[in-house]
Amino acid sequence: MKDKSIGGGNTTMLILRLIENEDMYGYQMIDALEKKSNHVFALKAGTLYPILHGLEQQEMITAYDGVSEEGRQRRYYQITKKGRKLLDEKKKEWETYASAIKNVMGGISYAEV
Amino acid sequence: MLRFKEKLARKIRTGADTATAEVIDADNPKRYADDSKRYMEAVCSQIRHQKVRCYIARELEDHIEDRKIRLIKAGIPEQEALQSAISDMGDAIEVGQELDRIHRPRPEWGIIAVTAIMLCIGVYVQYYLSRIAAEGSWAGREAFYKYMTTLPVGIVVLLAVYFADYTVLGKYPKRIYAGILLLSSVLNLFDGQIGFYRHNIDARYQMVYIALLLLPAYGAVLYGYRNSGYGGILRCGAAAFMAILVLGYSQQKYVLVIFAAGGLILLSAAMAKGWFAVEKKKAFALVYVPTLLSIFGFFLLKVWRYGEEKNLFLEAIKGKILISQETPDGFLVLFARSIIKNAQFIGQGELSPMVNSNTTRLEEILPIWWGDFSLTYLIHQWGIVVGILTLTIFTFLIIKMIRVTFKQKNALGFIISLSAVTAIGMQCLLFLSANLGMCLLVILPLPLMAIGQMSFLVNMVLLGLLLSAHRNLDIILDLQSVDRL
């Protein structure tokens, strides 16, 4: 239910997954997502920041000002304990969903069509 | 209102479109920066919470910049890179509306509601007490009139502080702190009453409210010394010491204790949060060892004195801490205790056996029953249920305030809120402990409900500060944030 307010459950899951092991700033996330998904996911900044700010208000992530590799000051996001818990839940939901799809798709026999 | 917003949105959207068309042909690099700025303006126009606008704009600008640099590295000319970076952001109006939904000013309805309830109860209680006072020649008669004239002023003060920019405290902490100290030094010069617009103000008794207002200012000073190491802690200590000197000069020594206790709470919180970027254990030792030593030294000095001063000191300890019946303070505590023991659960209680048999009315013997001891008095008149209700209301208020404080993500908002809770909490503790017959250190009016004009106004300011900080929960001020979890 909560997902709708922070804009799409799967995007939230992907964002949390990205910063699970490393703090990142907004642009870095879009960049990483694009690379990791072989350019399948192209997240717009306009979608990303409302989600990030929403997650921050829900205390799933916290933000701080850090310095990027290029030496610029950027707003970094860090996952919180609460955020990790949410990510775990999302992962489980996704696994159930993905295996359900797989079962259905795998069950179709093209020979009979 | 909505129609106006739509109009504005359309205007900005079309404005942005024409600007884009112009820029593509133009060869002027300044135009490109304008284009990014125009995009940001369009986003911000949708965000009603004005104070968060610039923080959001900074983040989005950085994003466009990063994207542009990436595209230029990939061999795309600068103009095109910027255009592409901006269009990658998404529709400015939609993004702005989405962000607006998240960053709305948030009123803390719980605390606002409790404040309103307390004011209503306060009015009724004052009315009731003044009616009884009118039957006799008691000094409480005028109190209701005074309370009612201060009420609207207090509400205006609260609203003014609520809508004002509390971050000013963070911008000029030292000046504000020094200003309040200067004011208290001036008040110190007056030994008695100052005439002020048909009111006589007893300067000495107002010092305590100055001390309470000094707490948020001290919080802001602590905020200003973040990341400044042990030197910063020493400077914060020096700032507190200056206040203690000024307040200690006042005739009411408890004022100093109230400020010192509150200040120590704030400083401890700042150290616990790692504001000074030093080893926490050492920081605590640096503050607490001298503090405890000076308290110990103070007691030693008092006891070693000869003559009357030593006797006065021992008498105070006997009355305030040992609660001996032979001292006036101790007697009052025991008296309040016996009034409560003889009270009904609901309805008027019996007179305490400590009252001699000639007296038929509690008003004749309980001092300041319409003010300082109004809760004890009301427990006698209406029953223990009043005491339970009061305790419940204040426990709710304080817990709510503490929760609001710890929800603060912003360091300045946190310390200002904490100073408000500390100041209000200390007053409640002092009033309730005396009225419920536990101990009598000093009585301050119960915030918002008991008589006392200055008390009322100061507490409205404190509440206003806390609510204002909560309202602007989102403002990210801390450019070199040390609040990393």
Side-chain angles (χ1 to χ4, degrees):
Chain A
M1 275 297 159
K2 255 184 187 173
D3 296 345
K4 282 180 186 163
S5 67
I6 48 179
N10 292 340
T11 321
T12 304
M13 177 178 76
L14 292 177
I15 290 173
L16 288 175
R17 175 73 184 89
L18 280 176
I19 55 171
E20 192 183 5
N21 300 319
E22 184 193 354
D23 300 354
M24 286 187 182
Y25 56 94
Y27 183 72
Q28 210 181 349
M29 288 180 208
I30 291 188
D31 208 33
L33 193 65
E34 234 177 73
K35 275 183 196 154
K36 281 191 181 166
S37 71
N38 288 327
H39 299 272
V40 172
F41 297 129
L43 190 57
K44 286 230 178 222
T47 319
L48 174 71
Y49 289 104
I51 295 179
L52 284 177
H53 293 187
L55 282 171
E56 195 193 348
Q57 276 178 8
Q58 292 174 14
E59 292 166 356
M60 301 295 173
I61 56 178
T62 56
Y64 62 92
D65 283 320
V67 178
S68 74
E69 280 172 18
E70 288 87 22
R72 295 193 187 87
Q73 196 178 49
R74 290 289 177 261
R75 202 148 180 260
Y76 277 84
Y77 292 90
Q78 186 179 40
I79 193 164
T80 62
K81 261 188 195 165
K82 212 172 150 188
R84 282 182 201 280
K85 233 172 114 185
L86 180 74
L87 178 60
D88 281 345
E89 280 168 27
K90 294 264 170 218
K91 272 185 193 163
K92 270 179 206 149
E93 266 172 39
W94 173 253
E95 274 157 21
T96 320
Y97 179 76
S99 73
I101 294 266
K102 213 173 157 189
N103 286 342
V104 174
M105 298 308 280
I108 297 173
S109 166
Y110 291 94
E112 284 169 22
V113 178
Chain B
M1 184 68 198
L2 198 72
R3 196 172 293 166
F4 171 74
K5 253 193 75 188
E6 273 171 16
K7 250 187 188 171
L8 186 76
R10 210 173 302 139
K11 204 175 145 194
I12 289 164
R13 199 180 275 166
T14 47
D17 285 345
T18 44
T20 317
E22 278 170 26
V23 165
I24 289 170
D25 306 322
D27 237 354
N28 179 357
K30 209 181 155 206
R31 281 275 167 107
Y32 311 137
D34 283 353
D35 212 22
S36 157
K37 212 171 143 197
R38 219 180 286 256
Y39 178 84
M40 230 53 74
E41 274 168 14
V43 172
C44 290
S45 71
Q46 298 302 303
I47 303 169
R48 273 169 285 183
H49 195 336
Q50 292 189 3
K51 287 180 195 163
V52 298
R53 283 181 186 167
C54 56
Y55 300 102
I56 291 175
R58 203 193 82 192
E59 194 173 29
L60 295 183
E61 255 167 23
D62 287 349
H63 190 102
I64 294 179
E65 179 76 13
D66 284 341
R67 182 77 188 156
K68 192 183 87 182
I69 292 171
R70 167 62 53 89
L71 291 173
I72 289 173
K73 273 186 191 162
I76 296 170
E78 194 180 342
Q79 306 96 295
E80 270 175 55
L82 178 66
Q83 285 309 318
S84 167
I86 291 176
S87 74
D88 279 353
M89 297 295 284
D91 183 73
I93 303 300
E94 274 170 30
V95 174
Q97 279 168 349
E98 195 63 27
L99 286 165
D100 173 62
R101 210 169 47 78
I102 294 165
H103 296 281
R104 283 202 186 143
R106 267 166 294 181
E108 207 332 292
W109 290 114
I111 292 177
I112 294 173
V114 182
T115 309
I117 292 171
M118 279 159 69
L119 293 183
C120 294
I121 298 177
V123 168
Y124 180 71
V125 165
Q126 295 318 321
Y127 171 69
Y128 173 80
L129 293 173
S130 72
R131 254 184 41 208
I132 296 179
E135 290 166 18
S137 56
W138 293 293
R141 266 188 303 184
E142 284 171 29
F144 182 61
Y145 168 73
K146 276 192 181 170
Y147 185 81
M148 289 309 284
T149 49
T150 324
L151 192 67
V153 181
I155 293 172
V156 170
V157 165
L158 181 126
L159 290 176
V161 176
Y162 180 53
F163 287 111
D165 186 2
Y166 83 100
T167 55
V168 169
L169 275 171
K171 275 181 208 143
Y172 312 104
K174 286 184 207 161
R175 280 180 227 180
I176 292 172
Y177 188 69
I180 299 179
L181 275 184
L182 198 70
L183 179 71
S184 47
S185 319
V186 172
L187 275 182
N188 261 334
L189 297 177
F190 297 93
D191 213 10
Q193 305 235 313
I194 315 170
F196 176 71
Y197 186 65
R198 284 188 290 163
H199 290 281
N200 278 327
I201 296 173
D202 194 323
R204 287 166 301 171
Y205 290 103
Q206 308 310 331
M207 288 295 285
V208 65
Y209 300 114
I210 301 246
L212 291 175
L213 278 185
L214 204 53
L215 285 177
Y218 185 62
V221 169
L222 296 178
Y223 172 81
Y225 278 118
R226 280 169 315 141
N227 291 331
S228 57
Y230 294 110
I233 298 180
L234 287 178
R235 288 200 183 107
C236 291
F241 190 69
M242 262 161 53
I244 286 170
L245 279 185
V246 172
L247 296 172
Y249 188 69
S250 125
Q251 301 210 344
Q252 317 282 323
K253 300 291 182 227
Y254 69 86
V255 170
L256 175 160
V257 179
I258 284 177
F259 172 78
L264 198 60
I265 291 175
L266 296 182
L267 184 56
S268 307
M271 291 189 298
K273 282 228 160 198
W275 276 14
F276 298 100
V278 291
E279 229 178 286
K280 284 182 191 172
K281 272 185 194 165
K282 281 187 192 163
F284 272 94
L286 186 65
V287 170
Y288 276 85
V289 171
T291 308
L292 292 175
L293 279 179
S294 41
I295 292 173
F296 184 68
F298 172 80
F299 274 92
L300 221 57
L301 203 71
K302 284 280 185 190
V303 176
W304 264 342
R305 289 253 174 106
Y306 291 103
E308 209 175 322
E309 205 173 330
K310 180 186 171 182
N311 290 337
L312 277 175
F313 181 69
L314 290 179
E315 170 112 335
I317 293 220
K318 247 163 107 187
K320 289 183 196 295
I321 295 167
L322 303 175
I323 311 182
S324 142
Q325 199 173 344
E326 294 144 30
T327 63
D329 286 346
F331 176 80
L332 264 175
V333 173
L334 292 172
F335 186 41
R337 221 178 266 182
S338 87
I339 291 172
I340 291 165
K341 256 184 208 155
N342 287 287
Q344 299 279 333
F345 185 69
I346 295 177
Q348 191 168 6
E350 284 167 32
L351 273 185
S352 140
M354 281 166 85
V355 178
N356 73 43
S357 50
N358 299 334
T359 319
T360 51
R361 302 188 62 146
L362 187 59
E363 297 89 354
E364 286 165 15
I365 183 151
L366 184 66
I368 325 187
W369 55 271
W370 39 268
D372 285 356
F373 276 101
S374 49
L375 184 62
T376 315
Y377 179 74
L378 288 176
I379 288 176
H380 168 76
Q381 291 290 80
W382 290 343
I384 301 219
V385 68
V386 176
I388 295 172
L389 195 71
T390 314
L391 270 181
T392 315
I393 290 178
F394 277 93
T395 313
F396 179 78
L397 178 74
I398 300 287
I399 289 178
K400 227 26 218 168
M401 286 174 83
I402 291 175
R403 285 185 61 181
V404 164
T405 302
F406 282 92
K407 253 193 192 167
Q408 273 288 346
K409 280 174 244 152
N410 164 315
L412 181 64
F414 168 78
I415 202 81
I416 299 290
S417 306
L418 186 65
S419 68
V421 192
T422 308
I424 291 181
M426 282 196 299
Q427 296 173 73
C428 290
L429 268 183
L430 291 171
F431 178 91
L432 291 172
S433 62
N435 273 263
L436 300 178
M438 285 182 279
C439 70
L440 194 163
L441 297 171
V442 54
I443 306 190
L444 291 176
L446 191 61
L448 308 185
M449 281 168 85
I451 284 300
Q453 287 168 296
M454 264 300 257
S455 154
F456 182 66
L457 294 178
V458 164
N459 283 306
M460 289 300 251
V461 170
L462 292 170
L463 269 176
L465 280 174
L466 179 111
L467 290 172
S468 170
H470 183 77
R471 181 169 177 267
N472 301 313
L473 199 61
D474 279 334
I475 299 182
I476 305 114
L477 271 173
D478 320 320
L479 288 181
Q480 333 116 292
S481 177
V482 283
D483 278 353
R484 281 188 71 171
L485 292 172

